[in-house]
Amino acid sequence: MKALLMHPDRDFDPQQALPANEADLRQDLELETLFRAMADQDDFLLEVARKAILTGLHNDVETVLYRQEIMKDCLANPAAARQLYDLAVKAIEGRRQHYFGFGLGHYPGGVLHGSLSALKFFMGVLKEIRGVARANADRFASRGFANLFATLERELSDAYFERVHADLTELQFRHGVLESAELGGGNEGVNYVLRKPSGKGPGWIRRLLGMGPPGYTFRLHPRDEAGARALSELRDRGINLVANALGQSADHVQSFFVMLRTELAFYLGGVALHEKLARKGEPTCFPVPQPLGRRRQRARGLYDVCLTLSMEPKVVGNDCDADGKSLVLVTGANRGGKSTFLRAIGLAQLMMQSGLFVGAESFEAELCAGLFTHYKREEDKGMESGKLDEELVRMSAIADQVAPSSLVLFNESFAATNEREGSEIARQVVRALLETRIKVFFVTHQYDFAHGFYVRKADEVLSLRAERSEDGSRPFKLVEGEPLDTSYGGDLYREIFGDVPEDGDAAPPAKAPLRAAG
């Protein structure tokens, strides 16, 4: 029996490998904030969220839509989903108590005793799960839950529970163990076989009069420890096969509970995240996934989920219509929301492909075969290499991993050198990526690079610009427009130092301790 709540045809694999660039994704997209919001201080939920989101890039459109249906069911019925999860946890924790508590788990007798106790406990939990399914079946509309509830109803009938109860009662061997053996070399017993008692035992009159079936009986002295050990060994040889079979049955039932817990954990994490965003009044939507290579990218009110989880006020959302575009250039004012928008794109892509909702009023995008980030880094304190060298090394690592239909996000990359050299590096890198059918989002202050692509590749490029109000304030809105040859560094200089440099909008000195926030 399988839960099948993450894939329509197989279990979710929590041991699957994470992307090779996992560390960069977690750092650049601030994914720990997202994972913690989903986990609600539960380490198990955090680990499942991390695995499911970072490995979601392997999912196809059908899997994404399958998970979206289940996520919608869980959002509509959080109490029932939590009840199923709690019952799965109860079963897993109970197995430890009912099995390992006996301390003889490596002997056939101990395995038999522990497995019997565990299976009895499991049957009780399965009845509770079936009860929850019956009570809520008409409230769930997804294929995943419909199949799960139908499986529970079909395989966990009353007749099934009665049969299991009878079998477990018989395997307690309350009237002793009946087994046969043959004599081998040196009259040693071989070929021990457990036998099923034939029919009912003698009636009460025959038992009262001592008129049992013909046979031979021997009794051990109460202090005959060696004889007791020998008799125990004989019993263990007879029950060894059935003990192993029963242990495997207990493991099989437990595996169902483990997978049910794991797969429900992802959706409960989604419920926790949705509740946090709803309390702030932030919009969410279920995105429309498109197959690889469709060149679809459209969003309305898209915002950075991790940013809004880290601050009290609501954040500003942005619109984007990049259908048919392979390159999106983002330029404009410092601290105008460029980096935030780039992070929102990456988060929405990961959340969509894992089957979650996204932080937007609407979102539609093609799936990507891989997601890569190339963000500027702080200066190497060890002075082992320059910033440009470090950027090129990371770009080389991306080139070794990237594949067609991937998505690469650049945030002020190759700005550690002069404008001319940085623009030429960026131009060659982006040209090579576009020729390999890789979609690129690039936040940059390099006018020569941005304007050159805007002019020469207009049909492939969407140019977005961070707005600046007349008074120098930032509305954090991006609008379509031609790249400008200024990032309004003077506004930032004025904000920090109070004086405007003579060249008006020139950027502050390179050595000034400033950090543009995008």
Side-chain angles (χ1 to χ4, degrees):
M1 189 163 61
K2 296 180 179 292
L4 299 181
L5 293 179
M6 293 289 276
H7 298 278
D9 56 353
R10 68 183 188 275
D11 289 334
F12 174 69
D13 180 10
Q15 304 303 321
Q16 60 186 300
L18 296 176
N21 63 327
E22 171 225 356
D24 287 334
L25 290 175
R26 292 173 68 175
Q27 177 179 346
D28 296 335
L29 301 182
E30 299 183 7
L31 291 177
E32 287 302 320
T33 301
L34 180 68
F35 300 154
R36 287 196 300 270
M38 295 179 67
D40 240 353
Q41 300 183 338
D42 186 314
D43 290 340
F44 182 77
L45 264 64
L46 188 147
E47 184 63 20
V48 171
R50 183 173 72 94
K51 284 282 187 178
I53 289 176
L54 288 172
T55 60
L57 297 173
H58 302 306
N59 295 330
D60 56 15
V61 171
E62 176 60 26
T63 301
V64 172
L65 295 175
Y66 183 81
R67 292 187 185 181
Q68 285 185 4
E69 293 177 11
I70 297 172
M71 188 72 253
K72 292 175 184 178
D73 268 346
C74 290
L75 291 175
N77 305 279
R82 169 61 68 175
Q83 194 173 0
L84 290 171
Y85 178 84
D86 289 342
L87 287 172
V89 173
K90 174 183 175 181
I92 296 167
E93 297 298 326
R95 173 71 187 272
R96 299 192 183 101
Q97 175 184 352
H98 287 78
Y99 184 79
F100 294 106
F102 292 101
L104 297 172
H106 54 290
Y107 293 109
V111 172
L112 180 67
H113 194 175
S115 299
L116 280 171
S117 180
L119 282 171
K120 286 182 180 179
F121 178 73
F122 285 165
M123 291 304 109
V125 178
L126 285 173
K127 280 186 177 180
E128 292 185 74
I129 288 179
R130 187 187 66 173
V132 174
R134 284 180 172 178
N136 296 277
D138 59 340
R139 302 177 185 176
F140 286 76
S142 66
R143 290 169 290 167
F145 274 113
N147 292 335
L148 174 61
F149 291 167
T151 299
L152 292 172
E153 190 65 34
R154 182 179 63 254
E155 298 191 12
L156 301 180
S157 63
D158 291 336
Y160 169 81
F161 285 117
E162 290 175 3
R163 176 62 185 274
V164 171
H165 175 74
D167 289 344
L168 295 180
T169 300
E170 185 174 346
L171 288 173
Q172 292 179 15
F173 302 116
R174 292 175 178 173
H175 302 295
V177 175
L178 179 64
E179 59 186 80
S180 65
E182 299 176 1
L183 291 179
N187 286 336
E188 183 179 0
V190 295
N191 298 330
Y192 287 85
V193 178
L194 182 67
R195 301 294 181 178
K196 184 175 182 180
S198 56
K200 298 180 179 179
W204 66 271
I205 295 179
R206 294 177 62 87
R207 291 198 304 270
L208 182 63
L209 298 176
M211 300 169 61
Y216 299 95
T217 302
F218 67 90
R219 300 182 184 278
L220 292 177
H221 191 279
R223 296 184 180 180
D224 187 357
E225 296 182 1
R229 284 196 299 272
L231 190 60
S232 178
E233 291 175 2
L234 290 175
R235 183 179 186 275
D236 281 349
R237 291 182 183 181
I239 66 172
N240 183 55
L241 291 178
V242 72
N244 288 337
L246 206 61
Q248 292 173 11
S249 297
D251 291 341
H252 176 73
V253 177
Q254 184 181 22
S255 68
F256 166 73
F257 290 123
V258 169
M259 193 50 59
L260 181 64
R261 178 197 185 192
T262 301
E263 296 187 347
L264 281 174
F266 170 69
Y267 298 104
L268 290 180
V271 170
L273 175 63
H274 191 273
E275 290 174 348
K276 290 179 175 63
L277 296 175
R279 281 197 295 268
K280 289 195 63 176
E282 297 284 19
T284 58
C285 70
F286 281 93
V288 180
Q290 296 290 345
L292 293 172
R294 282 287 181 86
R295 285 296 178 262
R296 300 296 295 275
Q297 189 85 43
R298 185 179 300 177
R300 188 173 75 252
L302 176 68
Y303 62 92
D304 181 352
V305 171
C306 292
L307 178 62
T308 196
L309 290 170
S310 306
M311 58 189 299
E312 186 64 29
K314 294 176 62 176
V315 297
V316 176
N318 273 289
D319 301 341
C320 172
D321 187 351
D323 281 357
K325 308 296 184 181
S326 298
L327 172 62
V328 178
L329 294 168
V330 188
T331 60
N334 282 304
R335 293 189 175 180
K338 303 187 300 296
S339 297
T340 300
F341 170 76
L342 191 68
R343 192 162 52 241
I345 287 290
L347 285 169
Q349 192 73 34
L350 283 177
M351 293 173 71
M352 176 184 72
Q353 294 199 216
S354 69
L356 286 173
F357 47 85
V358 301
E361 296 171 19
S362 66
F363 187 83
E364 179 180 4
E366 64 187 292
L367 301 185
C368 65
L371 176 62
F372 300 87
T373 56
H374 190 276
Y375 281 38
K376 63 181 181 181
R377 295 280 190 261
E378 297 298 329
E379 189 75 54
D380 179 12
K381 295 182 180 180
M383 296 301 292
E384 296 178 2
S385 63
K387 289 189 68 175
L388 181 59
D389 289 339
E390 187 273 338
E391 285 190 88
L392 293 175
V393 168
R394 281 192 289 122
M395 189 62 239
S396 178
I398 291 175
D400 290 339
Q401 302 167 35
V402 73
S405 297
S406 293
L407 172 63
V408 184
L409 310 179
F410 291 93
N411 188 19
E412 298 187 29
S413 301
F414 315 119
T417 183
N418 60 66
E419 166 80 13
R420 181 177 179 181
E421 184 178 36
S423 292
E424 182 59 26
I425 294 173
R427 185 161 37 245
Q428 293 190 28
V429 168
V430 171
R431 184 182 296 123
L433 293 174
L434 297 182
E435 289 175 354
T436 320
R437 293 204 49 79
I438 294 168
K439 184 185 289 187
V440 175
F441 278 71
F442 209 122
V443 169
T444 183
H445 290 302
Q446 295 167 333
Y447 174 75
D448 182 50
F449 157 66
H451 190 265
F453 265 104
Y454 178 77
V455 172
R456 299 185 185 92
K457 298 279 188 178
D459 57 332
E460 295 183 43
V461 177
L462 170 66
S463 177
L464 299 176
R465 201 170 64 209
E467 285 189 303
R468 169 186 179 270
S469 301
E470 291 295 331
D471 60 0
S473 62
R474 308 302 199 254
F476 306 113
K477 278 288 188 180
L478 303 182
V479 296
E480 291 190 35
E482 182 177 354
L484 300 180
D485 59 354
T486 177
S487 58
Y488 300 102
D491 293 338
L492 188 60
Y493 193 94
R494 182 190 303 109
E495 178 183 341
I496 297 177
F497 296 102
D499 297 320
V500 182
E502 293 182 1
D503 55 354
D505 285 329
K511 294 185 178 179
L514 306 177
R515 291 182 62 192

